[in-house]
Amino acid sequence: MLPRGRPRALGAAALLLLLAVGFFLFGGDLEYGRLRGAASLDGELTRDHNRSACLPLRSLLPKCELLHVAIVCAGYNSSRDVVTLVKSMLFYRKNPLHLHLVTDEVARNILETLFHTWMVPAVRVSFYNTSKFQAGAVSWIPNTHYSGLYELLKLVLPDALPPDLARVIVLDTDVTFASDIAELWAFFAHFSDKQMIGLVENQSNWYLGNLWKNHRPWPALGRGFNTGVILLWLDRLRQAGWEQMWKVTARRLLLTLSSTSLADQDIFNAVIKEHPGLVLLLPCLWNVQLSDHHTLAERCYSEASDLKVIHWNSPKKLRVKNKDVEFFRNLHLTFLEYDGNLLRRELFGCPSQPPPQAEQRQRALAHLDEEDACFEFQQQRLTVHRVHLTFLPLDLLPSRHDVTLVAQLSVDRLQMLEALCSHWPGPMSLALYLTDAEAQQFLRFVEASKVLSARSNVAYHVVYREGPLYPVNHLRNVALAQARTSHVFLSDIDFLPAYSLYNYLRASIEQLDLSSQRKTALVVPAFESLHYRLSFPTSKAELLALLDAGSLHTFRYDVWPQGHTPTDYARWREAQAPYQVQWAADYEPYVVVPRECPRYDSRFVGFGWNKVAHIVELDAQEYEFLVLPEAFTIHMPHAPSLDISRFRSSPAYRDCLHALKDEFHQDLSRHYGAAALKYLTALQRSRSST
Amino acid sequence: MLPRGRPRALGAAALLLLLAVGFFLFGGDLEYGRLRGAASLDGELTRDHNRSACLPLRSLLPKCELLHVAIVCAGYNSSRDVVTLVKSMLFYRKNPLHLHLVTDEVARNILETLFHTWMVPAVRVSFYNTSKFQAGAVSWIPNTHYSGLYELLKLVLPDALPPDLARVIVLDTDVTFASDIAELWAFFAHFSDKQMIGLVENQSNWYLGNLWKNHRPWPALGRGFNTGVILLWLDRLRQAGWEQMWKVTARRLLLTLSSTSLADQDIFNAVIKEHPGLVLLLPCLWNVQLSDHHTLAERCYSEASDLKVIHWNSPKKLRVKNKDVEFFRNLHLTFLEYDGNLLRRELFGCPSQPPPQAEQRQRALAHLDEEDACFEFQQQRLTVHRVHLTFLPLDLLPSRHDVTLVAQLSVDRLQMLEALCSHWPGPMSLALYLTDAEAQQFLRFVEASKVLSARSNVAYHVVYREGPLYPVNHLRNVALAQARTSHVFLSDIDFLPAYSLYNYLRASIEQLDLSSQRKTALVVPAFESLHYRLSFPTSKAELLALLDAGSLHTFRYDVWPQGHTPTDYARWREAQAPYQVQWAADYEPYVVVPRECPRYDSRFVGFGWNKVAHIVELDAQEYEFLVLPEAFTIHMPHAPSLDISRFRSSPAYRDCLHALKDEFHQDLSRHYGAAALKYLTALQRSRSST
C-alpha cells in the first residue's frame, strides 16, 4: 500500500494553487487581443477554455445575488422554446432570477399567463413590448435571417431595459442550459474596465467569407462571435454611446451590403471589428453551437467532461445516427419533458417574498385537515395549474355571429380530435390536461396528422396536470376564456356534432338576432351511440330513423334521464321552429351561449354535477333555454374514465360531491336570495327520493 | 461606475488562494479528533461543512477514473428504489462507474434484466449473491431493524467484494443524488493513512440515548454516524483485520444488548467508538437524513445553497405542508419520473467499450435508410426497450396443471385491470408499455385499488416506451417468458374471460392430460360486445341467448371474419366435447398452450398480423388446435388505439406491413422448407383476391 493521507492531500493542494493562480493571470488576459489570427489559434483556445471551465467560479459570487436575464421572444413556437430554456435554467440555478422578456402580443399573452400560473419562487418576470421599439429602432435594417426582425432587438436592449439595470445575460430562445447560470454571470467579474460585452467565438466558418465564391459576409474578427449568449454590461454601453456606435456602423455598411444575413449578430460583429476592446471572450462551452457543420463545436466539447450551454442554431432535424447528437438531444428532451411543477421549489438559504396568491394558497392549504375524507377535493381546488395558452400556432380573426366549440380533454381522448375536426369546420378552443411529456406527445400527434395540421382555427391550451382529480370545470373555463367569437358552443370531447351544426348555429344566431347581450342559451339535443362503429346520420331524418331502429338513444336515457328530459325529445321530433323549455333539477343540456356567459364553478373536480351547476347558474341569471329543431350532437362510446370508475366504486367520493353541492347552494342563496330557493328545494326533493 | 476588471479579479484570486489553503489545512484535520463532544460542536461543524462544499474537489480527480459503488438490495420494492437512486447518480456523473450489487434472487432477476436492457455506456454491473454470505456471516446477529438482515451485509463487503477492489462507495437504496458522485469519491484523497471509513454524522439524537426512559442504544461517539453513505477503503480494512474487529465487538456487546436496532449502523458505530482513528468525517451535505425529526438535518442544509445526497431514512409519508419537504419531494420525483432512456448517453472525453449488443445495434441502425418508407418499422425493431420485471411484489409458487393469463397493455387500458381481476382469479403475467412517469402513475393506481392491491399472483412487467410504434409482440414475449405455470392463456387486455374460464382450463388440462410436452393449443372462442354496458353472461347458455338477441357477436364478424371462422362457431354451439379444427389463412384464435410454446415474432410492431404470425408458427410446429366447448372470452368495446387509427388512415403503413409479412414468410420457408409452402400459397391467394 502506498502511503496516502496528508502528504498526498498537500500535493493536491499545491496543484490547485498553481491552477488557481494560473487561471487568474490567464483570466486577466482573456481579452480580445489574444483572438487575433483566430484561425491558427484554435487549438490553444480550446485547451484554455477547458481549463477555465474547471474553476470554482461560484465562489466569486455573492450568495443570493439577483441575476438578470433578457430574452427576445415572438410568436407561438418561440414561446414554447422559451419554456424549455427557462426550465433548464431553473433546474440548475441557485440564485434568484429576474427575467426581462421582450415579446410581441402573442408571446406576451402566452408567457404572462404561464409565469403567473407557474408561481416559481424567486423568479421575477418583466415584459417589454417589441412594437414600442421595433418600429423606429430596428425596422429600417434590411435582414434575411430566419428569425426575422425580432433578433435585431437585442441591439436596443441597453435602451429598452430599465436605466437602473446595470448588467444582463441575453439569451436566444434556442439555447439549453446544462449548468448553473451563476457560473456564467460570474464572468462579469473578469471584465476589464473597458470591456462591456461577453461573447463566445462563432463555431462556423461563415465570417471567414470563403464558404462559396463571392460569399461576402459582414465584417468580423476571424470567425467572429456568436450572439446566442451575450453578457451585456448595460450601463457601460449606455455611457459609451452604444446606440450611436452600432447605428453608425450599420448604416455605413448597408451602403455596400444589401442586408444583414444573421440579423443582430452581423451588426455586433461589425461593431466589435472596429472596437475589439469592448469584448471579453467567453469559453466555448458557454455556447456550444450545433449548426449544420459542427466540427468546430466538436473541437470545443470533445475534451470537456461537461457542457455549459447548448445552442440549437440549426434546423432541428437531429439525425439519430450521430452519438454526440443523441447526447444533445437527450439533454434537450430532458427539459422538454421535465415536469415544470417540480421547479416550484424554494431556494435554500435565499429567502424570497412569495407572490401574494402563493402565500394565500399556502395559508389555505395549511388550514386543510388531511384526515378529512374530502381532503383531496379541497386540495385540488387550491391547486394552481400551470397554463400554456395557444400551445400551437393559431390564425384566427375575431368575428361576430360566429361560434367557437369549447371542450376539454386529457391525453386518452386525443383520438377524438380528427373526427371532431371533420364534424366541426369552425373555430375551437380546447383545453388539454397533460403532463409536460404528454404535451410533447400531443405535439407529435398533431404534426403527424394531416387533418389537424391543416387547421389554423383550433386553439389548444395546455393545462398541466397536478393532483389526483380531473379539474374539469377549471379546464372548461380556460378554454372558454380564450374563445374569440361572439358565441360559444359548450360541448364535451366525446360528442360529435352534426356535420351541419356549425353553419346551422351561425345562421340561427343571425336569424334569431342574438346579440351577445341577449341572455339566450340555444340547446343542442344530445344523443348517444352505444355502437362504436356508427354510420353517422347526415340529417335529422336519418337520426330519427336510427333512433327508431334502436341504434341511437337519447343521451343517458337509462342511467341519468333527468339530465336531458327537459329538452323534450318528443317535441323536438316534430319541431320546425325553436321552442323554449324550462329549467328542471339536474338539467345539463349542451348549449350555445354568448362568450360572456357565467364561468363554470371550478370547485367541481373529478366526475359529477359539474355541468349541472353551470346550467343552474344560467337559469339563475335568467337565461332562456331555446331548443333548436335541426341541431343535434351524438356521444360516442368509450371506456369509462378513471374518474367515473372511482365515482362509481367509492361512497366517500359521492359524499364529497354531496358536500360540494351543499356549498354551491349556499353560495347561490347568498348571491341570488329568494330566487335561488327553487334550486335548494329541487336538491332536497331529489335527495329524499333516493 | 466602479473600476472593475483586473484589479478585482486579482483580489478574487487572492481570496480563492486563501480559501484553498484554508481548506487543505482544515481538510487534513477533518479526522475524528474534532468530533469529540459533538453535541456542543454542532454550530461549528455545520459552518465548516458548508465551506468545504464550495471547493473544487473535481480538480483532484483524474478525469475518467472508474468509480466503484456497492449497494445491498433485496426484494421488489428495494429494486424499484435502486433504479431511482441509479438514475440520480447517472444524471450527474461524468465518470465511468462500476456498480457492485449484492442482491437476493428476486432483486437479481429484476436488476440483471434491467441493466442488460438499459445499456448505459460506461456502466459495468457485477452481482453478488446475498445467500452466499448471509448464512454464516451475519445471520447470527439478532436485529430489529425494518430493513432486516440485508443491511448487515454492508459489514462483510471487504470480504464479499473482489480482493483487488481497493475502494468503494457504499449506498443505501433510499438515497438520491443531487450532485456528481465524483465529488464524493474525491474525499478518499483526504483520508489520512490511518483512516479507512468515511461517514457523515448521524442527524438524530438516537445514539445520545435520551429519547425515552431506559432508552439504551448501542454505543457511539456523540451522535454517532449514519451508514446510508459510506466510503470504504477496502484494502486497508482487510489489512487491519476488519472482519475480526467488528465480530469481536458485536459479540461482546450482544452479551448485554439483546439485538441491534439499526442493523449494520449499530455495529459500525460500536467499532468506531473503540477505534475512532478509522473514520474521516464527511460534510453533512453528503447524507442529509430526512428522518422523522429532521431539525438536525435542517441545521445542515439551511445555510447551504445546494445539497449533495438526500437520505430518505424514514417512512416516506411526506407531508405537503412543509416547504422544505416539498423541495426534497420534487427532487425525488424528478428522478422517479425521469426518462431512463435519456441516460443512455456517452461520456464525453471518456471513451468506453460499448457492450457487444449495443455495438451491433449501432451498426444495424447505421445501415438503415432514413428515406425508406418503412424506416420507422425497421428502427423500432432494433430498439432495445428497458425492462423492469415484476415491478410490484409477487407471491407465486410455480405449479403444474396451472394457467397464467398473458397479456400486454399501455396506460390507456389500466381501467381494464380491475375487471380482468374479477374475471380471472388465477395467476397473470402482464407487460405494461409505459414511460417512467406512467410507471409511477400505475403504481399509485394499484395502491388506490382494493381489488388490485389484494392480488399477489399478478406479475406486472414494465417495458419502457421508446419509439413511435407499439412493440406488441415484444411485450407479449416479455410477459410470456415470466409465466411460472405449466400453461399460458395468450389473451389480449380488452377481453374479459368467462368467470369460470380459469377453473375450467385447469380442469381441462388435467382431464385431457396435457403435459407441457404435448403440442396442443386449446382454443377459447372469442366474442364481442358492441355495447359497453354489457351484462356479462355467466354461462354458455346465457351467452348463446345474447348472441341470438344480437347483443353479442362472434369476434370481428363484420370486419375480419377470417380471423376466427376456423373455430367453427356453429359446431361450438352444439359441442359437448373438445373438437379439433384446422389452420386456415389469417386464423388468430386465443389459445392456451404450454409455457414453452414458440415466442411471438417481434418484427411485427404497431397494428396488424402480430397474432396471425404466431398461430402460423404453432401450426408449422404441428400444434393441434382443440376448441373447448365451455370456454369463451368477450371483447369489450373501446375507442380505437392510435396505432389502429394510423393503420386505417395510412397506405404506407399497410405497405410496410406487407413487407414484414413477406420477410416473415421467407424465414418460414428457410426454417420449415416445403412444409411452409401452404402459408405462402395462402398469402398469395389472399392478395390476389383483394
Side-chain angles (χ1 to χ4, degrees):
Chain A
M1 248 190 314
L2 289 168
R4 305 220 178 193
R6 203 161 318 181
R8 183 188 153 129
L10 283 176
L15 174 72
L16 183 79
L17 295 185
L18 210 69
L19 271 174
V21 174
F23 173 70
F24 284 100
L25 296 178
F26 165 75
D29 266 348
L30 245 181
E31 58 192 34
Y32 182 68
R34 310 224 341 173
L35 196 63
R36 252 167 256 256
S40 64
L41 273 168
D42 280 353
E44 197 184 332
L45 273 173
T46 308
R47 234 176 309 117
D48 292 348
H49 291 178
N50 289 340
R51 193 189 306 159
S52 68
C54 298
L55 278 150
L57 294 163
R58 268 198 72 76
S59 55
L60 297 177
L61 275 184
K63 204 179 151 207
C64 302
E65 180 176 346
L66 177 67
L67 314 186
H68 293 270
V69 177
I71 303 170
V72 179
C73 174
Y76 301 95
N77 295 334
S78 286
S79 296
R80 280 204 317 279
D81 288 345
V82 163
V83 177
T84 311
L85 157 60
V86 169
K87 278 175 168 180
S88 73
M89 201 159 61
L90 292 178
F91 184 84
Y92 296 103
R93 66 105 181 216
K94 298 182 183 81
N95 286 64
L97 299 177
H98 188 159
L99 305 182
H100 302 269
L101 304 181
V102 182
T103 59
D104 66 353
E105 273 308 305
V106 164
R108 180 165 186 154
N109 185 39
I110 295 170
L111 295 174
E112 215 164 35
T113 306
L114 181 81
F115 282 105
H116 185 72
T117 52
W118 201 347
M119 300 198 303
V120 184
V123 170
R124 228 185 107 186
V125 187
S126 301
F127 286 90
Y128 307 85
N129 204 322
T130 52
S131 58
K132 221 174 100 188
F133 319 106
Q134 212 174 342
V138 297
S139 58
W140 55 273
I141 306 167
N143 141 60
T144 58
H145 189 240
Y146 63 89
S147 55
L149 268 180
Y150 293 103
E151 295 290 311
L152 285 167
L153 288 173
K154 283 190 264 171
L155 291 165
V156 304
L157 288 175
D159 293 317
L161 297 178
D164 59 344
L165 184 60
R167 291 174 294 168
V168 73
I169 293 175
V170 185
L171 301 172
D172 275 3
T173 57
D174 54 356
V175 306
T176 307
F177 273 80
S179 58
D180 185 353
I181 190 170
E183 294 179 38
L184 180 58
W185 186 266
F187 281 97
F188 275 122
H190 303 312
F191 277 53
S192 75
D193 50 7
K194 297 258 167 48
Q195 295 173 333
M196 347 192 150
I197 305 177
L199 287 168
V200 169
E201 190 186 14
N202 204 30
Q203 289 158 10
S204 91
N205 290 332
W206 173 268
Y207 287 112
L208 298 181
N210 53 13
L211 294 189
W212 54 80
K213 218 185 144 190
N214 296 327
H215 170 218
R216 246 188 102 201
W218 278 48
L221 287 168
R223 286 217 169 74
F225 296 95
N226 183 284
T227 58
V229 175
I230 321 178
L231 267 59
L232 282 189
W233 202 306
L234 294 168
D235 50 15
R236 290 187 186 175
L237 286 163
R238 291 178 194 121
Q239 237 175 10
W242 167 254
E243 190 184 348
Q244 198 55 21
M245 210 186 292
W246 73 260
K247 282 189 177 166
V248 166
T249 303
R251 283 213 184 87
R252 195 183 59 246
L253 285 164
L254 283 168
L255 297 175
T256 51
L257 292 156
S258 59
S259 65
T260 66
S261 306
L262 304 177
D264 67 294
Q265 186 168 302
D266 282 344
I267 297 176
F268 268 106
N269 273 296
V271 176
I272 289 165
K273 172 117 187 172
E274 291 172 17
H275 309 276
L278 298 179
V279 175
L280 175 84
L281 175 67
L282 300 174
C284 62
L285 292 171
W286 286 99
N287 181 351
V288 175
Q289 299 146 43
L290 300 184
S291 47
D292 290 333
H293 301 282
H294 62 283
T295 48
L296 288 162
E298 226 173 292
R299 210 180 303 171
C300 168
Y301 65 70
S302 61
E303 285 186 29
S305 57
D306 55 350
L307 298 165
K308 302 298 188 179
V309 172
I310 294 166
H311 186 183
W312 307 87
N313 57 341
S314 72
K316 291 196 185 166
K317 189 167 190 304
L318 302 172
R319 295 179 77 84
V320 282
K321 290 178 188 176
N322 178 319
K323 274 199 274 182
D324 296 346
V325 168
E326 205 161 344
F327 175 94
F328 294 120
R329 190 182 61 99
N330 284 358
L331 195 84
H332 188 63
L333 283 176
T334 293
F335 295 109
L336 264 183
E337 306 196 340
Y338 188 79
D339 179 354
N341 299 338
L342 299 180
L343 295 164
R344 285 169 169 169
R345 57 191 184 198
E346 293 288 332
L347 296 183
F348 279 119
C350 300
S352 72
Q353 187 64 36
Q357 77 270 30
E359 217 168 359
Q360 211 176 335
R361 177 179 160 262
Q362 202 65 34
R363 262 200 309 275
L365 270 173
H367 275 114
L368 295 186
D369 175 8
E370 287 180 53
E371 306 306 318
D372 189 313
C374 301
F375 172 69
E376 278 188 354
F377 281 79
Q378 291 152 355
Q379 193 190 17
Q380 188 80 57
R381 270 163 62 184
L382 289 169
T383 301
V384 179
H385 294 276
R386 227 172 351 126
V387 175
H388 189 134
L389 299 174
T390 48
F391 198 68
L392 292 177
L394 188 67
D395 187 10
L396 199 60
L397 294 173
S399 85
R400 293 192 60 242
H401 294 313
D402 203 349
V403 194
T404 300
L405 186 149
V406 169
Q408 33 71 40
L409 64 153
S410 48
V411 76
D412 57 329
R413 294 289 187 267
L414 284 187
Q415 297 97 315
M416 289 300 294
L417 291 177
E418 287 199 358
L420 187 56
C421 278
S422 71
H423 281 252
W424 182 272
M428 296 197 244
S429 179
L430 305 174
L432 295 99
Y433 193 51
L434 304 173
T435 64
D436 294 71
E438 287 169 349
Q440 296 306 314
Q441 199 183 327
F442 162 68
L443 205 61
R444 290 190 294 270
F445 180 75
V446 172
E447 279 165 5
S449 159
K450 276 186 201 152
V451 177
L452 299 182
S453 36
R455 291 287 285 262
S456 63
N457 62 350
V458 181
Y460 301 100
H461 314 293
V462 175
V463 177
Y464 288 100
R465 279 175 69 151
E466 191 171 7
L469 295 163
Y470 189 74
V472 53
N473 278 357
H474 176 60
L475 294 171
R476 289 186 172 122
N477 285 340
V478 167
L480 177 52
Q482 296 301 315
R484 294 282 166 267
T485 55
S486 62
H487 288 73
V488 287
F489 172 37
L490 305 175
S491 185
D492 272 337
I493 196 66
D494 37 14
F495 276 84
L496 292 179
Y499 288 107
S500 58
L501 189 67
Y502 173 60
N503 286 325
Y504 175 54
L505 288 177
R506 285 208 299 177
S508 302
I509 289 164
E510 204 162 351
Q511 279 158 24
L512 296 167
D513 199 20
L514 300 181
S515 74
S516 57
Q517 275 73 48
R518 202 170 130 193
K519 290 182 167 177
T520 299
L522 301 174
V523 174
V524 176
F527 298 84
E528 70 177 348
S529 162
L530 300 179
H531 195 309
Y532 59 105
R533 279 179 249 148
L534 173 76
S535 136
F536 203 94
T538 57
S539 66
K540 182 175 178 178
E542 269 185 46
L543 175 112
L544 293 176
L546 288 167
L547 204 59
D548 292 338
S551 303
L552 280 182
H553 301 272
T554 60
F555 186 54
R556 297 279 183 263
Y557 70 104
D558 49 352
V559 289
W560 183 247
Q562 63 269 51
H564 293 266
T565 302
T567 295
D568 196 349
Y569 288 101
R571 182 165 173 194
W572 182 78
R573 197 178 251 280
E574 312 297 335
Q576 302 289 329
Y579 58 92
Q580 203 182 336
V581 296
Q582 297 305 318
W583 177 87
D586 294 331
Y587 191 32
E588 50 171 359
Y590 291 94
V591 294
V592 177
V593 284
R595 183 173 62 152
E596 295 77 14
C597 70
R599 304 290 111 155
Y600 287 86
D601 189 322
S602 60
R603 81 185 104 198
F604 291 100
V605 289
F607 171 80
W609 235 67
N610 42 62
K611 273 197 304 288
V612 173
H614 187 242
I615 296 293
V616 164
E617 193 78 44
L618 290 181
D619 187 60
Q621 294 196 15
E622 299 177 336
Y623 274 71
E624 63 166 346
F625 295 95
L626 218 51
V627 183
L628 291 177
E630 299 292 329
F632 63 86
T633 184
I634 303 180
H635 181 263
M636 306 307 288
H638 54 76
S641 71
L642 282 183
D643 272 313
I644 279 204
S645 316
R646 232 175 132 193
F647 172 76
R648 287 190 183 142
S649 67
S650 154
Y653 194 115
R654 286 194 296 269
D655 288 346
C656 295
L657 187 58
H658 257 186
L660 287 183
K661 283 191 204 177
D662 288 340
E663 257 186 66
F664 170 75
H665 281 92
Q666 281 157 22
D667 288 352
L668 268 186
S669 305
R670 249 196 300 276
H671 216 107
Y672 299 103
L677 196 62
K678 69 171 179 178
Y679 309 116
L680 200 58
T681 317
L683 182 72
Q684 280 157 354
R685 199 178 308 136
S686 84
R687 280 197 189 158
S688 61
S689 73
T690 54
Chain B
M1 249 188 313
L2 290 167
R4 306 218 177 195
R6 206 163 319 179
R8 183 188 153 127
L10 284 176
L15 174 72
L16 183 79
L17 295 185
L18 211 68
L19 272 174
V21 174
F23 172 72
F24 285 100
L25 295 179
F26 164 75
D29 267 347
L30 245 182
E31 60 195 32
Y32 185 67
R34 308 218 352 166
L35 196 64
R36 252 167 256 256
S40 65
L41 274 170
D42 280 352
E44 200 185 329
L45 272 172
T46 309
R47 232 176 311 115
D48 291 349
H49 292 179
N50 289 339
R51 194 188 305 156
S52 69
C54 301
L55 279 152
L57 294 164
R58 267 200 72 76
S59 53
L60 297 178
L61 276 184
K63 204 180 152 205
C64 302
E65 180 176 346
L66 177 67
L67 314 185
H68 293 270
V69 177
I71 303 169
V72 179
C73 174
Y76 301 96
N77 295 334
S78 287
S79 297
R80 280 204 316 280
D81 288 345
V82 163
V83 178
T84 310
L85 157 59
V86 170
K87 278 175 169 181
S88 74
M89 202 160 59
L90 293 178
F91 184 85
Y92 294 105
R93 66 105 181 218
K94 298 182 184 81
N95 286 64
L97 298 177
H98 188 159
L99 306 182
H100 303 268
L101 304 181
V102 182
T103 59
D104 66 351
E105 273 308 305
V106 164
R108 181 167 184 153
N109 185 37
I110 295 171
L111 295 173
E112 215 164 33
T113 306
L114 181 82
F115 283 105
H116 183 72
T117 53
W118 200 346
M119 302 199 300
V120 185
V123 170
R124 226 185 109 185
V125 186
S126 301
F127 286 90
Y128 308 85
N129 205 324
T130 54
S131 57
K132 220 174 97 189
F133 317 107
Q134 213 175 343
V138 297
S139 58
W140 55 275
I141 307 168
N143 140 62
T144 60
H145 190 239
Y146 62 90
S147 55
L149 269 181
Y150 293 103
E151 294 289 312
L152 286 167
L153 288 174
K154 282 189 264 171
L155 292 165
V156 304
L157 288 175
D159 293 316
L161 298 178
D164 60 342
L165 184 60
R167 291 173 294 167
V168 72
I169 293 175
V170 185
L171 301 172
D172 275 2
T173 57
D174 55 355
V175 306
T176 307
F177 272 80
S179 58
D180 185 353
I181 191 170
E183 293 179 40
L184 180 57
W185 185 266
F187 281 97
F188 276 120
H190 303 313
F191 277 54
S192 74
D193 48 7
K194 296 258 169 47
Q195 295 174 332
M196 1 196 137
I197 306 177
L199 287 167
V200 169
E201 191 186 13
N202 203 30
Q203 289 157 12
S204 91
N205 291 330
W206 174 268
Y207 287 111
L208 298 181
N210 54 12
L211 293 189
W212 54 80
K213 219 184 142 190
N214 297 327
H215 170 218
R216 246 189 102 200
W218 278 49
L221 288 168
R223 286 218 170 74
F225 297 94
N226 184 284
T227 56
V229 174
I230 321 177
L231 267 59
L232 282 189
W233 202 306
L234 296 168
D235 50 16
R236 291 187 186 177
L237 286 164
R238 291 178 194 122
Q239 237 176 9
W242 167 253
E243 191 184 349
Q244 197 55 20
M245 209 187 291
W246 74 260
K247 281 187 177 167
V248 166
T249 303
R251 283 212 184 88
R252 195 183 59 245
L253 285 165
L254 283 168
L255 298 175
T256 51
L257 291 157
S258 60
S259 65
T260 66
S261 305
L262 302 177
D264 66 295
Q265 186 169 302
D266 282 344
I267 298 177
F268 268 106
N269 273 295
V271 176
I272 288 165
K273 172 118 186 172
E274 292 172 15
H275 309 275
L278 298 178
V279 175
L280 176 85
L281 174 67
L282 300 175
C284 64
L285 292 171
W286 286 100
N287 182 352
V288 176
Q289 299 146 41
L290 300 185
S291 49
D292 290 334
H293 301 283
H294 64 282
T295 49
L296 288 162
E298 225 173 292
R299 211 182 301 169
C300 168
Y301 66 71
S302 61
E303 284 184 30
S305 56
D306 55 350
L307 298 165
K308 301 298 188 179
V309 172
I310 295 165
H311 186 182
W312 307 87
N313 57 341
S314 74
K316 290 196 186 166
K317 190 167 189 303
L318 302 171
R319 295 180 75 83
V320 283
K321 289 176 185 176
N322 179 319
K323 273 199 275 182
D324 296 347
V325 168
E326 204 161 346
F327 175 94
F328 294 120
R329 190 182 59 99
N330 284 357
L331 195 82
H332 188 63
L333 283 175
T334 292
F335 295 109
L336 265 182
E337 307 195 340
Y338 189 79
D339 179 353
N341 300 339
L342 299 180
L343 295 165
R344 284 171 171 169
R345 55 191 184 198
E346 293 288 331
L347 294 183
F348 279 119
C350 300
S352 73
Q353 188 62 35
Q357 78 271 32
E359 217 169 356
Q360 210 177 336
R361 176 180 161 260
Q362 202 66 37
R363 262 200 308 275
L365 270 175
H367 275 113
L368 296 185
D369 175 8
E370 288 181 54
E371 307 305 318
D372 189 312
C374 300
F375 173 69
E376 279 188 354
F377 281 79
Q378 290 152 356
Q379 193 191 16
Q380 188 80 54
R381 269 165 62 185
L382 289 170
T383 301
V384 179
H385 294 277
R386 228 175 347 130
V387 175
H388 189 133
L389 299 174
T390 48
F391 197 68
L392 291 178
L394 189 66
D395 187 9
L396 199 60
L397 293 172
S399 86
R400 290 193 59 239
H401 293 316
D402 203 350
V403 195
T404 300
L405 186 149
V406 168
Q408 33 71 40
L409 64 153
S410 49
V411 76
D412 57 329
R413 294 287 186 271
L414 284 187
Q415 297 99 316
M416 290 301 295
L417 291 177
E418 287 201 359
L420 187 57
C421 278
S422 71
H423 281 251
W424 182 271
M428 297 197 243
S429 180
L430 305 174
L432 294 99
Y433 193 52
L434 304 174
T435 64
D436 294 70
E438 286 168 351
Q440 294 307 313
Q441 199 182 327
F442 162 68
L443 204 60
R444 290 190 295 269
F445 179 75
V446 173
E447 279 166 4
S449 160
K450 275 185 202 152
V451 177
L452 300 182
S453 35
R455 289 288 286 262
S456 62
N457 63 349
V458 181
Y460 300 101
H461 314 293
V462 175
V463 177
Y464 287 101
R465 280 175 68 152
E466 191 171 7
L469 295 163
Y470 189 75
V472 54
N473 277 357
H474 175 62
L475 294 171
R476 288 186 173 122
N477 285 340
V478 168
L480 177 53
Q482 296 302 315
R484 294 281 166 269
T485 54
S486 61
H487 287 74
V488 287
F489 172 36
L490 305 175
S491 185
D492 272 336
I493 195 65
D494 37 13
F495 275 83
L496 291 179
Y499 289 106
S500 58
L501 189 65
Y502 172 61
N503 286 324
Y504 176 54
L505 289 177
R506 285 208 298 178
S508 302
I509 290 165
E510 204 161 350
Q511 279 157 25
L512 297 168
D513 199 20
L514 299 182
S515 74
S516 56
Q517 275 73 49
R518 200 167 132 197
K519 288 183 169 179
T520 301
L522 301 175
V523 174
V524 177
F527 298 84
E528 72 179 344
S529 162
L530 300 178
H531 196 306
Y532 59 104
R533 280 179 250 149
L534 173 75
S535 138
F536 202 94
T538 57
S539 66
K540 182 174 179 179
E542 268 185 48
L543 176 113
L544 292 175
L546 288 167
L547 203 59
D548 293 338
S551 302
L552 280 182
H553 302 270
T554 59
F555 186 52
R556 296 279 183 263
Y557 71 101
D558 49 352
V559 290
W560 182 248
Q562 63 271 50
H564 293 267
T565 301
T567 295
D568 194 351
Y569 288 100
R571 183 163 174 199
W572 183 78
R573 196 181 252 277
E574 313 295 338
Q576 302 288 330
Y579 58 92
Q580 202 182 336
V581 296
Q582 297 305 319
W583 177 87
D586 295 331
Y587 190 33
E588 50 171 0
Y590 291 95
V591 293
V592 177
V593 284
R595 187 174 59 151
E596 294 75 15
C597 70
R599 304 290 110 155
Y600 287 87
D601 189 322
S602 61
R603 83 186 103 197
F604 291 99
V605 290
F607 172 81
W609 236 67
N610 41 64
K611 271 196 306 289
V612 173
H614 186 243
I615 296 294
V616 164
E617 192 79 43
L618 289 181
D619 188 61
Q621 294 196 16
E622 298 176 339
Y623 275 70
E624 65 168 344
F625 294 94
L626 217 52
V627 183
L628 290 176
E630 299 292 329
F632 62 88
T633 185
I634 304 181
H635 181 262
M636 306 307 288
H638 54 75
S641 72
L642 283 183
D643 271 312
I644 280 205
S645 315
R646 231 175 132 195
F647 172 75
R648 288 191 182 140
S649 66
S650 153
Y653 194 115
R654 285 194 298 267
D655 288 346
C656 296
L657 187 57
H658 256 187
L660 287 182
K661 284 191 206 177
D662 288 340
E663 257 185 66
F664 170 75
H665 281 93
Q666 280 157 23
D667 289 352
L668 267 187
S669 305
R670 248 195 301 276
H671 217 105
Y672 300 102
L677 195 64
K678 69 170 177 177
Y679 309 116
L680 200 59
T681 316
L683 182 73
Q684 281 157 354
R685 198 177 309 134
S686 87
R687 280 198 190 157
S688 61
S689 73
T690 54

